[in-house]
């Protein structure tokens, strides 16, 4: 999978994800460190990336936009260290991989995984 890590995600997570075959970029490394959320969404959609973030705004923007891409994985862990994020992500990978590929908002916390396929219909 191709990931775009948001500013609030530690850059070190990139190395964990790449170690298992994922491609990663961090917004701070590509000149988007201060970009607004719509710019980051557009960049991820154009490059076929899934946004990895702590920011709930991305889910809200996608929910009301009617688009199907990019997917967003929102991390809500009590200990959001790179190692913890990676371990939790790998523990649920078989559940979230396909929804993220087709377009979804996934919220990952310590005990649960919530998946909403895009577009979200009202």
């Amino acid at each position: 999978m191709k990931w775009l890590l948001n500013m609030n995600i530690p850059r070190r997570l990139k190395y964990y994800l790449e170690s298992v075959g994922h491609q990663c970029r961090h917004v701070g490394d590509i000149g988007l460190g201060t970009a607004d959320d719509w710019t980051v969404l557009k960049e991820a959609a154009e490059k076929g990336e899934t946004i990895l973030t702590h920011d709930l705004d991305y889910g809200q923007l996608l929910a009301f936009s009617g688009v199907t891409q990019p997917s967003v994985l929102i991390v809500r862990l009590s200990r959001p260290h790179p190692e913890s994020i990676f371990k939790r992500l790998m523990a649920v990978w078989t559940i979230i991989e396909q929804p993220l590929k087709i377009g979804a908002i996934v919220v990952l916390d310590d005990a649960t995984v919530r998946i909403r396929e895009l577009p979200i219909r009202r």
Side-chain angles (χ1 to χ4, degrees), residues 72-75 96 99-100 104-108 113-116:
V72 173
L73 180 95
I74 302 168
V75 177
I96 66 173
L100 289 174
I105 300 167
V106 175
V107 180
L108 185 62
V113 176
R114 293 184 301 279
I115 301 170
R116 294 290 307 265

Side-chain angles (χ1 to χ4, degrees), residues 5-116:
L5 308 182
N6 199 25
M7 275 306 291
N8 55 25
I9 296 293
R11 281 179 172 86
R12 271 190 333 170
L13 181 59
K14 175 182 174 181
Y15 304 108
Y16 288 94
L17 293 168
E18 289 174 341
S19 75
V20 293
H22 297 276
Q23 296 177 28
C24 298
R25 298 188 306 155
H26 192 280
V27 294
D29 296 335
I30 60 169
L32 296 178
T34 59
D36 63 64
D37 293 344
W38 282 113
T39 302
V40 175
L41 283 168
K42 182 179 177 195
E43 175 72 14
E46 287 175 359
K47 303 289 187 195
E49 297 167 319
T50 295
I51 297 171
L52 187 68
T53 187
H54 293 294
D55 190 346
L56 297 173
D57 291 346
Y58 287 99
Q60 293 172 340
L61 291 172
L62 287 171
F64 293 108
S65 70
V67 300
T68 59
Q69 292 291 328
S71 289
V72 173
L73 180 95
I74 302 168
V75 177
R76 306 299 290 171
L77 301 178
S78 59
R79 307 186 97 211
H81 305 291
E83 301 85 6
S84 302
I85 296 169
F86 179 72
K87 285 179 183 176
R88 183 70 177 119
L89 184 61
M90 292 299 100
V92 299
W93 185 247
T94 58
I95 299 167
I96 66 173
E97 180 182 17
Q98 192 57 34
L100 289 174
K101 283 183 178 179
I102 62 173
I105 300 167
V106 175
V107 180
L108 185 62
D109 64 30
D110 293 318
T112 62
V113 176
R114 293 184 301 279
I115 301 170
R116 294 290 307 265

